[in-house]
Amino acid sequence: MTPDGEAQLRAASLRVTRPRLAVLTALRGHPHVDTDTVISLVRADHPTVSHQAVYDVLRALTNAGLVRRIEPAGATARYETRTSDNHHHVVCRSCGAIADVDCAVGHAPCLTASHGHGFVIDEAEVVYWGTCPDCSEGS
Amino acid sequence: MTPDGEAQLRAASLRVTRPRLAVLTALRGHPHVDTDTVISLVRADHPTVSHQAVYDVLRALTNAGLVRRIEPAGATARYETRTSDNHHHVVCRSCGAIADVDCAVGHAPCLTASHGHGFVIDEAEVVYWGTCPDCSEGS
DNA sequence: CCCTAAACTTGATTCATTCCAGAATAGTGG
DNA sequence: CCACTATTCTGGAATGAATCAAGTTTAGGG
């Protein structure tokens, strides 16, 4: 099993608070959800947590590397706990569903495009666009 | 030279209007600008064009494929006229500058990751994150 | 058990984008 | 060349994700 939230927070020298644990738990069970959904999930157990707290927590966890923020074009920010393995995402054009995709071309393939106008490139982000099973079925 | 705006619009069966020509011209001269900048550029020549018109035009041109919309995480939508050659972009983390990057791994490399949870993938979008020459110089 | 910085609550604010109702206009058919 | 209609444009209000601000609570070191 993944280390429990408390251990993760301490390892990142972040204070262990109820809202933070709740957000981590919510994201564990529901990958790729937006902020609003996180708020709902958190409030299921802790009704008094403010939306601002969730925004703060998500930012803190993202900065600490415990959570990864993804932001597909035309959608609001989503979050997931699967970090540090440079995987990518498929996004459904019609319903917005997101699924994980392991890096196709081995590891960090695209960083080879380094001769980009003098830019120092440190990350290559890939987003696949398409149609999810549910949506392509209907048509 | 690129075909003039009027020809492009007619080829796409779009009406030829002053705002549309102005937007096309603005984007030709200034790639990767956001909507607000487009509005300013357009108004330099045609002060009466409404912001709504620019939004409408950008959407119409994008749907017609005359313009491509890019939307890096954490930034507002940008537009460019270079289409139909599947190139990618480098984005500067500190100043937000964007530059074009030709597809590194040949053509449409990444579509090979097709076995993604039953998704039918039709496009692979790549965004390189890094630091532009100007910004890395200062540090 | 105190104390202080960090975190949280509440509520207002920003800003890109969209929605709406009415006026203008491109371009087809007469 | 003119009239007609759908499309487009104008001006202004509304939406919604996200941020800011002031004051209260709390984690956790001393």
Short mmCIF file of all heavy atoms in Angstrom, two decimals, chain D residues 1-24:
data_model
loop_
_atom_site.label_atom_id
_atom_site.label_comp_id
_atom_site.label_asym_id
_atom_site.label_seq_id
_atom_site.Cartn_x
_atom_site.Cartn_y
_atom_site.Cartn_z
P DC D 1 -24.56 48.90 -61.02
OP1 DC D 1 -24.19 50.18 -60.51
OP2 DC D 1 -23.73 47.71 -60.94
"O5'" DC D 1 -26.00 48.55 -60.45
"C5'" DC D 1 -27.12 49.23 -61.00
"C4'" DC D 1 -28.36 48.82 -60.24
"O4'" DC D 1 -28.57 47.38 -60.38
"C3'" DC D 1 -28.27 49.09 -58.72
"O3'" DC D 1 -29.51 49.64 -58.30
"C2'" DC D 1 -28.05 47.70 -58.12
"C1'" DC D 1 -28.80 46.82 -59.10
N1 DC D 1 -28.30 45.41 -59.16
C2 DC D 1 -29.18 44.37 -58.89
O2 DC D 1 -30.37 44.63 -58.62
N3 DC D 1 -28.74 43.08 -58.94
C4 DC D 1 -27.47 42.84 -59.25
N4 DC D 1 -27.07 41.56 -59.30
C5 DC D 1 -26.55 43.88 -59.53
C6 DC D 1 -27.00 45.14 -59.47
P DC D 2 -29.68 50.22 -56.82
OP1 DC D 2 -30.32 51.55 -56.86
OP2 DC D 2 -28.38 50.03 -56.14
"O5'" DC D 2 -30.73 49.20 -56.22
"C5'" DC D 2 -31.99 49.00 -56.87
"C4'" DC D 2 -32.78 47.95 -56.12
"O4'" DC D 2 -32.18 46.65 -56.33
"C3'" DC D 2 -32.83 48.17 -54.61
"O3'" DC D 2 -34.15 47.87 -54.17
"C2'" DC D 2 -31.80 47.18 -54.08
"C1'" DC D 2 -31.94 46.03 -55.07
N1 DC D 2 -30.75 45.19 -55.23
C2 DC D 2 -30.89 43.79 -55.19
O2 DC D 2 -32.02 43.29 -55.03
N3 DC D 2 -29.79 43.01 -55.34
C4 DC D 2 -28.60 43.57 -55.52
N4 DC D 2 -27.55 42.76 -55.67
C5 DC D 2 -28.42 44.98 -55.55
C6 DC D 2 -29.51 45.75 -55.41
P DA D 3 -34.61 48.27 -52.71
OP1 DA D 3 -35.73 49.24 -52.79
OP2 DA D 3 -33.40 48.60 -51.94
"O5'" DA D 3 -35.20 46.90 -52.18
"C5'" DA D 3 -36.01 46.09 -53.03
"C4'" DA D 3 -36.06 44.67 -52.49
"O4'" DA D 3 -34.77 44.04 -52.71
"C3'" DA D 3 -36.33 44.60 -50.99
"O3'" DA D 3 -37.22 43.52 -50.76
"C2'" DA D 3 -34.96 44.33 -50.39
"C1'" DA D 3 -34.29 43.50 -51.48
N9 DA D 3 -32.84 43.57 -51.53
C8 DA D 3 -32.05 44.70 -51.47
N7 DA D 3 -30.76 44.45 -51.58
C5 DA D 3 -30.71 43.07 -51.72
C6 DA D 3 -29.63 42.18 -51.88
N6 DA D 3 -28.35 42.58 -51.93
N1 DA D 3 -29.90 40.87 -52.00
C2 DA D 3 -31.19 40.48 -51.95
N3 DA D 3 -32.30 41.21 -51.81
C4 DA D 3 -31.97 42.52 -51.70
P DC D 4 -37.77 43.16 -49.33
OP1 DC D 4 -39.19 42.79 -49.45
OP2 DC D 4 -37.32 44.26 -48.44
"O5'" DC D 4 -36.96 41.83 -48.95
"C5'" DC D 4 -36.93 40.73 -49.86
"C4'" DC D 4 -36.17 39.58 -49.23
"O4'" DC D 4 -34.74 39.82 -49.33
"C3'" DC D 4 -36.46 39.38 -47.74
"O3'" DC D 4 -36.58 37.97 -47.51
"C2'" DC D 4 -35.25 39.98 -47.04
"C1'" DC D 4 -34.14 39.75 -48.06
N1 DC D 4 -33.05 40.77 -48.05
C2 DC D 4 -31.73 40.37 -48.28
O2 DC D 4 -31.49 39.16 -48.47
N3 DC D 4 -30.74 41.29 -48.30
C4 DC D 4 -31.03 42.58 -48.10
N4 DC D 4 -30.02 43.45 -48.15
C5 DC D 4 -32.37 43.03 -47.86
C6 DC D 4 -33.33 42.09 -47.85
P DT D 5 -37.20 37.41 -46.17
OP1 DT D 5 -38.21 36.40 -46.51
OP2 DT D 5 -37.54 38.58 -45.33
"O5'" DT D 5 -35.97 36.66 -45.51
"C5'" DT D 5 -35.28 35.65 -46.27
"C4'" DT D 5 -34.00 35.27 -45.55
"O4'" DT D 5 -33.00 36.31 -45.74
"C3'" DT D 5 -34.14 35.11 -44.03
"O3'" DT D 5 -33.35 34.01 -43.64
"C2'" DT D 5 -33.58 36.40 -43.48
"C1'" DT D 5 -32.47 36.68 -44.48
N1 DT D 5 -32.02 38.09 -44.59
C2 DT D 5 -30.72 38.33 -44.95
O2 DT D 5 -29.92 37.45 -45.19
N3 DT D 5 -30.39 39.67 -45.02
C4 DT D 5 -31.21 40.74 -44.78
O4 DT D 5 -30.78 41.89 -44.89
C5 DT D 5 -32.56 40.42 -44.40
C7 DT D 5 -33.52 41.52 -44.10
C6 DT D 5 -32.90 39.11 -44.32
P DA D 6 -33.63 33.27 -42.26
OP1 DA D 6 -34.71 32.28 -42.44
OP2 DA D 6 -33.75 34.29 -41.20
"O5'" DA D 6 -32.26 32.50 -42.06
"C5'" DA D 6 -31.49 32.12 -43.22
"C4'" DA D 6 -30.02 32.46 -42.98
"O4'" DA D 6 -29.82 33.90 -43.08
"C3'" DA D 6 -29.51 32.05 -41.61
"O3'" DA D 6 -28.23 31.45 -41.76
"C2'" DA D 6 -29.45 33.35 -40.82
"C1'" DA D 6 -29.18 34.38 -41.91
N9 DA D 6 -29.74 35.71 -41.63
C8 DA D 6 -30.96 36.00 -41.08
N7 DA D 6 -31.20 37.29 -40.97
C5 DA D 6 -30.05 37.89 -41.46
C6 DA D 6 -29.68 39.24 -41.62
N6 DA D 6 -30.45 40.26 -41.26
N1 DA D 6 -28.46 39.49 -42.14
C2 DA D 6 -27.69 38.46 -42.50
N3 DA D 6 -27.94 37.14 -42.41
C4 DA D 6 -29.15 36.93 -41.88
P DT D 7 -27.45 30.84 -40.56
OP1 DT D 7 -26.97 29.50 -40.96
OP2 DT D 7 -28.31 31.02 -39.37
"O5'" DT D 7 -26.19 31.79 -40.43
"C5'" DT D 7 -25.54 32.27 -41.60
"C4'" DT D 7 -24.71 33.48 -41.29
"O4'" DT D 7 -25.56 34.64 -41.08
"C3'" DT D 7 -23.85 33.35 -40.03
"O3'" DT D 7 -22.51 33.58 -40.42
"C2'" DT D 7 -24.39 34.43 -39.09
"C1'" DT D 7 -25.01 35.43 -40.05
N1 DT D 7 -26.11 36.25 -39.49
C2 DT D 7 -26.02 37.64 -39.58
O2 DT D 7 -25.08 38.22 -40.08
N3 DT D 7 -27.10 38.32 -39.08
C4 DT D 7 -28.23 37.78 -38.49
O4 DT D 7 -29.13 38.51 -38.08
C5 DT D 7 -28.26 36.34 -38.42
C7 DT D 7 -29.44 35.65 -37.80
C6 DT D 7 -27.21 35.65 -38.92
P DT D 8 -21.32 33.49 -39.37
OP1 DT D 8 -20.12 33.07 -40.10
OP2 DT D 8 -21.79 32.73 -38.20
"O5'" DT D 8 -21.13 35.01 -38.94
"C5'" DT D 8 -20.96 35.99 -39.95
"C4'" DT D 8 -20.96 37.38 -39.35
"O4'" DT D 8 -22.28 37.75 -38.93
"C3'" DT D 8 -20.06 37.53 -38.12
"O3'" DT D 8 -19.19 38.63 -38.36
"C2'" DT D 8 -21.03 37.80 -36.98
"C1'" DT D 8 -22.18 38.46 -37.71
N1 DT D 8 -23.50 38.40 -37.05
C2 DT D 8 -24.20 39.57 -36.87
O2 DT D 8 -23.79 40.66 -37.22
N3 DT D 8 -25.43 39.41 -36.26
C4 DT D 8 -26.00 38.23 -35.84
O4 DT D 8 -27.11 38.24 -35.32
C5 DT D 8 -25.21 37.05 -36.05
C7 DT D 8 -25.73 35.71 -35.62
C6 DT D 8 -24.01 37.19 -36.64
P DC D 9 -18.10 39.08 -37.30
OP1 DC D 9 -16.94 39.58 -38.05
OP2 DC D 9 -17.96 38.01 -36.30
"O5'" DC D 9 -18.80 40.33 -36.62
"C5'" DC D 9 -19.12 41.46 -37.43
"C4'" DC D 9 -19.75 42.54 -36.58
"O4'" DC D 9 -21.05 42.08 -36.15
"C3'" DC D 9 -18.96 42.87 -35.31
"O3'" DC D 9 -18.77 44.28 -35.23
"C2'" DC D 9 -19.83 42.36 -34.18
"C1'" DC D 9 -21.23 42.38 -34.79
N1 DC D 9 -22.14 41.34 -34.23
C2 DC D 9 -23.37 41.73 -33.69
O2 DC D 9 -23.66 42.93 -33.69
N3 DC D 9 -24.19 40.79 -33.18
C4 DC D 9 -23.83 39.50 -33.20
N4 DC D 9 -24.69 38.62 -32.69
C5 DC D 9 -22.59 39.09 -33.75
C6 DC D 9 -21.77 40.03 -34.25
P DT D 10 -18.09 44.88 -33.88
OP1 DT D 10 -17.29 46.04 -34.29
OP2 DT D 10 -17.48 43.80 -33.09
"O5'" DT D 10 -19.34 45.43 -33.06
"C5'" DT D 10 -20.18 46.44 -33.63
"C4'" DT D 10 -21.11 47.00 -32.56
"O4'" DT D 10 -22.09 46.00 -32.20
"C3'" DT D 10 -20.41 47.43 -31.28
"O3'" DT D 10 -20.91 48.70 -30.89
"C2'" DT D 10 -20.79 46.34 -30.27
"C1'" DT D 10 -22.13 45.84 -30.80
N1 DT D 10 -22.39 44.39 -30.56
C2 DT D 10 -23.57 44.02 -29.97
O2 DT D 10 -24.42 44.80 -29.61
N3 DT D 10 -23.71 42.66 -29.82
C4 DT D 10 -22.82 41.67 -30.17
O4 DT D 10 -23.08 40.50 -29.99
C5 DT D 10 -21.60 42.14 -30.78
C7 DT D 10 -20.56 41.17 -31.20
C6 DT D 10 -21.44 43.47 -30.94
P DG D 11 -20.18 49.54 -29.77
OP1 DG D 11 -20.37 50.96 -30.09
OP2 DG D 11 -18.83 49.00 -29.60
"O5'" DG D 11 -21.04 49.21 -28.47
"C5'" DG D 11 -22.44 49.39 -28.50
"C4'" DG D 11 -23.06 48.90 -27.20
"O4'" DG D 11 -23.23 47.46 -27.25
"C3'" DG D 11 -22.22 49.19 -25.95
"O3'" DG D 11 -23.08 49.78 -24.98
"C2'" DG D 11 -21.71 47.83 -25.52
"C1'" DG D 11 -22.78 46.88 -26.04
N9 DG D 11 -22.32 45.54 -26.37
C8 DG D 11 -21.10 45.18 -26.86
N7 DG D 11 -20.98 43.90 -27.07
C5 DG D 11 -22.21 43.37 -26.69
C6 DG D 11 -22.68 42.03 -26.69
O6 DG D 11 -22.09 41.01 -27.06
N1 DG D 11 -23.99 41.94 -26.22
C2 DG D 11 -24.75 43.00 -25.80
N2 DG D 11 -25.98 42.72 -25.38
N3 DG D 11 -24.31 44.26 -25.80
C4 DG D 11 -23.04 44.37 -26.24
P DG D 12 -22.57 50.12 -23.50
OP1 DG D 12 -23.28 51.35 -23.09
OP2 DG D 12 -21.09 50.06 -23.49
"O5'" DG D 12 -23.14 48.93 -22.61
"C5'" DG D 12 -24.51 48.53 -22.77
"C4'" DG D 12 -24.76 47.29 -21.93
"O4'" DG D 12 -24.27 46.11 -22.61
"C3'" DG D 12 -24.04 47.31 -20.57
"O3'" DG D 12 -24.88 46.74 -19.60
"C2'" DG D 12 -22.83 46.44 -20.84
"C1'" DG D 12 -23.51 45.37 -21.69
N9 DG D 12 -22.60 44.47 -22.39
C8 DG D 12 -21.38 44.75 -22.92
N7 DG D 12 -20.80 43.71 -23.46
C5 DG D 12 -21.69 42.68 -23.26
C6 DG D 12 -21.63 41.32 -23.61
O6 DG D 12 -20.73 40.73 -24.19
N1 DG D 12 -22.78 40.63 -23.22
C2 DG D 12 -23.84 41.17 -22.57
N2 DG D 12 -24.84 40.36 -22.27
N3 DG D 12 -23.91 42.45 -22.24
C4 DG D 12 -22.82 43.15 -22.60
P DA D 13 -24.54 46.79 -18.03
OP1 DA D 13 -25.17 48.00 -17.49
OP2 DA D 13 -23.08 46.57 -17.86
"O5'" DA D 13 -25.30 45.51 -17.47
"C5'" DA D 13 -26.43 44.98 -18.18
"C4'" DA D 13 -26.45 43.47 -18.04
"O4'" DA D 13 -25.44 42.89 -18.91
"C3'" DA D 13 -26.13 42.99 -16.62
"O3'" DA D 13 -27.02 41.94 -16.29
"C2'" DA D 13 -24.69 42.51 -16.73
"C1'" DA D 13 -24.64 41.99 -18.15
N9 DA D 13 -23.30 41.98 -18.75
C8 DA D 13 -22.43 43.03 -18.84
N7 DA D 13 -21.29 42.72 -19.44
C5 DA D 13 -21.44 41.38 -19.75
C6 DA D 13 -20.58 40.45 -20.39
N6 DA D 13 -19.37 40.76 -20.85
N1 DA D 13 -21.04 39.20 -20.55
C2 DA D 13 -22.26 38.90 -20.10
N3 DA D 13 -23.15 39.66 -19.48
C4 DA D 13 -22.67 40.91 -19.34
P DA D 14 -26.93 41.19 -14.90
OP1 DA D 14 -28.31 40.84 -14.52
OP2 DA D 14 -26.05 41.97 -13.99
"O5'" DA D 14 -26.18 39.84 -15.26
"C5'" DA D 14 -26.76 38.96 -16.25
"C4'" DA D 14 -25.93 37.70 -16.32
"O4'" DA D 14 -24.65 38.01 -16.93
"C3'" DA D 14 -25.63 37.05 -14.97
"O3'" DA D 14 -25.82 35.66 -15.12
"C2'" DA D 14 -24.16 37.39 -14.73
"C1'" DA D 14 -23.62 37.45 -16.14
N9 DA D 14 -22.43 38.28 -16.34
C8 DA D 14 -22.23 39.57 -15.92
N7 DA D 14 -21.06 40.06 -16.28
C5 DA D 14 -20.46 39.02 -16.98
C6 DA D 14 -19.21 38.91 -17.62
N6 DA D 14 -18.31 39.88 -17.66
N1 DA D 14 -18.92 37.74 -18.23
C2 DA D 14 -19.83 36.75 -18.18
N3 DA D 14 -21.04 36.75 -17.62
C4 DA D 14 -21.29 37.92 -17.03
P DT D 15 -25.84 34.70 -13.82
OP1 DT D 15 -27.06 33.89 -13.92
OP2 DT D 15 -25.55 35.52 -12.62
"O5'" DT D 15 -24.60 33.74 -14.07
"C5'" DT D 15 -24.45 33.08 -15.34
"C4'" DT D 15 -23.03 32.55 -15.46
"O4'" DT D 15 -22.11 33.65 -15.62
"C3'" DT D 15 -22.57 31.76 -14.24
"O3'" DT D 15 -22.32 30.43 -14.67
"C2'" DT D 15 -21.29 32.48 -13.79
"C1'" DT D 15 -20.90 33.28 -15.02
N1 DT D 15 -20.14 34.54 -14.80
C2 DT D 15 -18.89 34.67 -15.39
O2 DT D 15 -18.35 33.79 -16.02
N3 DT D 15 -18.28 35.88 -15.17
C4 DT D 15 -18.79 36.96 -14.47
O4 DT D 15 -18.15 38.00 -14.36
C5 DT D 15 -20.11 36.75 -13.88
C7 DT D 15 -20.73 37.85 -13.09
C6 DT D 15 -20.72 35.57 -14.08
P DG D 16 -22.32 29.26 -13.63
OP1 DG D 16 -22.95 28.11 -14.27
OP2 DG D 16 -22.83 29.79 -12.33
"O5'" DG D 16 -20.78 28.98 -13.45
"C5'" DG D 16 -19.91 29.08 -14.58
"C4'" DG D 16 -18.48 29.06 -14.08
"O4'" DG D 16 -17.99 30.42 -13.95
"C3'" DG D 16 -18.29 28.44 -12.70
"O3'" DG D 16 -17.03 27.80 -12.69
"C2'" DG D 16 -18.27 29.64 -11.77
"C1'" DG D 16 -17.51 30.62 -12.64
N9 DG D 16 -17.70 32.02 -12.29
C8 DG D 16 -18.74 32.59 -11.62
N7 DG D 16 -18.62 33.89 -11.47
C5 DG D 16 -17.42 34.19 -12.08
C6 DG D 16 -16.75 35.42 -12.25
O6 DG D 16 -17.11 36.53 -11.87
N1 DG D 16 -15.55 35.28 -12.93
C2 DG D 16 -15.05 34.08 -13.41
N2 DG D 16 -13.88 34.12 -14.03
N3 DG D 16 -15.67 32.91 -13.27
C4 DG D 16 -16.84 33.05 -12.60
P DA D 17 -16.80 26.55 -11.74
OP1 DA D 17 -17.27 25.33 -12.40
OP2 DA D 17 -17.29 26.92 -10.39
"O5'" DA D 17 -15.21 26.50 -11.70
"C5'" DA D 17 -14.50 26.50 -12.93
"C4'" DA D 17 -13.22 27.29 -12.77
"O4'" DA D 17 -13.54 28.68 -12.54
"C3'" DA D 17 -12.35 26.84 -11.60
"O3'" DA D 17 -11.02 26.71 -12.05
"C2'" DA D 17 -12.52 27.95 -10.56
"C1'" DA D 17 -12.83 29.17 -11.42
N9 DA D 17 -13.70 30.16 -10.77
C8 DA D 17 -14.89 29.93 -10.16
N7 DA D 17 -15.47 31.02 -9.69
C5 DA D 17 -14.58 32.03 -10.02
C6 DA D 17 -14.61 33.43 -9.81
N6 DA D 17 -15.61 34.06 -9.18
N1 DA D 17 -13.57 34.15 -10.26
C2 DA D 17 -12.57 33.52 -10.89
N3 DA D 17 -12.44 32.22 -11.16
C4 DA D 17 -13.49 31.52 -10.69
P DA D 18 -9.89 26.14 -11.09
OP1 DA D 18 -8.85 25.57 -11.95
OP2 DA D 18 -10.54 25.31 -10.05
"O5'" DA D 18 -9.30 27.45 -10.42
"C5'" DA D 18 -8.78 28.46 -11.27
"C4'" DA D 18 -8.51 29.70 -10.46
"O4'" DA D 18 -9.75 30.29 -10.04
"C3'" DA D 18 -7.69 29.47 -9.19
"O3'" DA D 18 -6.43 30.10 -9.34
"C2'" DA D 18 -8.53 30.09 -8.08
"C1'" DA D 18 -9.51 30.98 -8.84
N9 DA D 18 -10.79 31.15 -8.18
C8 DA D 18 -11.68 30.17 -7.83
N7 DA D 18 -12.77 30.63 -7.24
C5 DA D 18 -12.57 32.00 -7.21
C6 DA D 18 -13.35 33.04 -6.71
N6 DA D 18 -14.55 32.87 -6.13
N1 DA D 18 -12.87 34.31 -6.84
C2 DA D 18 -11.67 34.48 -7.43
N3 DA D 18 -10.85 33.57 -7.94
C4 DA D 18 -11.37 32.34 -7.79
P DT D 19 -5.40 30.19 -8.12
OP1 DT D 19 -4.06 30.11 -8.73
OP2 DT D 19 -5.83 29.25 -7.07
"O5'" DT D 19 -5.59 31.67 -7.54
"C5'" DT D 19 -5.65 32.75 -8.45
"C4'" DT D 19 -5.90 34.04 -7.68
"O4'" DT D 19 -7.26 34.04 -7.20
"C3'" DT D 19 -5.00 34.22 -6.46
"O3'" DT D 19 -4.41 35.51 -6.57
"C2'" DT D 19 -5.95 34.10 -5.27
"C1'" DT D 19 -7.28 34.51 -5.87
N1 DT D 19 -8.49 33.92 -5.23
C2 DT D 19 -9.46 34.77 -4.74
O2 DT D 19 -9.37 35.97 -4.77
N3 DT D 19 -10.55 34.13 -4.19
C4 DT D 19 -10.77 32.78 -4.09
O4 DT D 19 -11.79 32.35 -3.58
C5 DT D 19 -9.71 31.95 -4.62
C7 DT D 19 -9.84 30.47 -4.56
C6 DT D 19 -8.64 32.56 -5.16
P DC D 20 -3.34 36.00 -5.46
OP1 DC D 20 -2.32 36.82 -6.16
OP2 DC D 20 -2.92 34.84 -4.65
"O5'" DC D 20 -4.21 36.96 -4.55
"C5'" DC D 20 -5.04 37.93 -5.20
"C4'" DC D 20 -5.79 38.74 -4.16
"O4'" DC D 20 -6.96 38.02 -3.72
"C3'" DC D 20 -4.97 39.06 -2.91
"O3'" DC D 20 -5.21 40.42 -2.58
"C2'" DC D 20 -5.55 38.12 -1.86
"C1'" DC D 20 -7.00 38.00 -2.31
N1 DC D 20 -7.69 36.75 -1.92
C2 DC D 20 -8.98 36.82 -1.35
O2 DC D 20 -9.49 37.93 -1.17
N3 DC D 20 -9.61 35.68 -1.03
C4 DC D 20 -9.03 34.51 -1.24
N4 DC D 20 -9.71 33.40 -0.91
C5 DC D 20 -7.72 34.41 -1.81
C6 DC D 20 -7.09 35.55 -2.13
P DA D 21 -4.34 41.18 -1.45
OP1 DA D 21 -4.09 42.55 -1.95
OP2 DA D 21 -3.22 40.29 -1.09
"O5'" DA D 21 -5.35 41.24 -0.22
"C5'" DA D 21 -6.71 41.57 -0.43
"C4'" DA D 21 -7.41 41.66 0.91
"O4'" DA D 21 -8.13 40.42 1.16
"C3'" DA D 21 -6.48 41.84 2.10
"O3'" DA D 21 -7.10 42.71 3.03
"C2'" DA D 21 -6.32 40.44 2.64
"C1'" DA D 21 -7.71 39.87 2.39
N9 DA D 21 -7.78 38.42 2.27
C8 DA D 21 -6.85 37.58 1.74
N7 DA D 21 -7.20 36.31 1.75
C5 DA D 21 -8.46 36.32 2.33
C6 DA D 21 -9.38 35.31 2.63
N6 DA D 21 -9.17 34.01 2.37
N1 DA D 21 -10.54 35.67 3.22
C2 DA D 21 -10.76 36.97 3.48
N3 DA D 21 -9.97 38.01 3.24
C4 DA D 21 -8.83 37.62 2.66
P DA D 22 -6.32 43.28 4.34
OP1 DA D 22 -6.38 44.76 4.27
OP2 DA D 22 -5.01 42.59 4.40
"O5'" DA D 22 -7.22 42.80 5.55
"C5'" DA D 22 -8.64 42.92 5.47
"C4'" DA D 22 -9.26 42.25 6.68
"O4'" DA D 22 -9.34 40.82 6.44
"C3'" DA D 22 -8.45 42.42 7.96
"O3'" DA D 22 -9.36 42.54 9.05
"C2'" DA D 22 -7.63 41.15 8.03
"C1'" DA D 22 -8.63 40.13 7.46
N9 DA D 22 -8.02 38.95 6.85
C8 DA D 22 -6.80 38.82 6.25
N7 DA D 22 -6.54 37.61 5.79
C5 DA D 22 -7.69 36.90 6.11
C6 DA D 22 -8.06 35.56 5.89
N6 DA D 22 -7.28 34.67 5.26
N1 DA D 22 -9.27 35.17 6.32
C2 DA D 22 -10.06 36.07 6.93
N3 DA D 22 -9.82 37.36 7.20
C4 DA D 22 -8.61 37.71 6.75
P DG D 23 -8.84 42.82 10.56
OP1 DG D 23 -9.61 43.97 11.07
OP2 DG D 23 -7.35 42.82 10.55
"O5'" DG D 23 -9.32 41.52 11.33
"C5'" DG D 23 -10.64 41.01 11.11
"C4'" DG D 23 -10.69 39.56 11.53
"O4'" DG D 23 -9.93 38.77 10.59
"C3'" DG D 23 -10.07 39.28 12.92
"O3'" DG D 23 -10.98 38.48 13.67
"C2'" DG D 23 -8.80 38.53 12.59
"C1'" DG D 23 -9.21 37.80 11.32
N9 DG D 23 -8.11 37.30 10.51
C8 DG D 23 -7.01 37.98 10.06
N7 DG D 23 -6.19 37.23 9.35
C5 DG D 23 -6.80 35.99 9.33
C6 DG D 23 -6.40 34.77 8.72
O6 DG D 23 -5.38 34.55 8.06
N1 DG D 23 -7.32 33.75 8.94
C2 DG D 23 -8.48 33.88 9.67
N2 DG D 23 -9.24 32.80 9.78
N3 DG D 23 -8.86 35.01 10.24
C4 DG D 23 -7.99 36.02 10.03
P DT D 24 -10.62 38.04 15.17
OP1 DT D 24 -11.76 38.41 16.03
OP2 DT D 24 -9.25 38.49 15.47
"O5'" DT D 24 -10.62 36.45 15.07
"C5'" DT D 24 -11.74 35.76 14.51
"C4'" DT D 24 -11.44 34.28 14.40
"O4'" DT D 24 -10.35 34.09 13.46
"C3'" DT D 24 -11.01 33.62 15.71
"O3'" DT D 24 -11.70 32.38 15.82
"C2'" DT D 24 -9.51 33.41 15.53
"C1'" DT D 24 -9.40 33.20 14.03
N1 DT D 24 -8.08 33.52 13.42
C2 DT D 24 -7.40 32.55 12.75
O2 DT D 24 -7.81 31.41 12.64
N3 DT D 24 -6.19 32.95 12.21
C4 DT D 24 -5.62 34.20 12.27
O4 DT D 24 -4.55 34.42 11.74
C5 DT D 24 -6.40 35.19 13.01
C7 DT D 24 -5.87 36.58 13.13
C6 DT D 24 -7.58 34.81 13.54
#
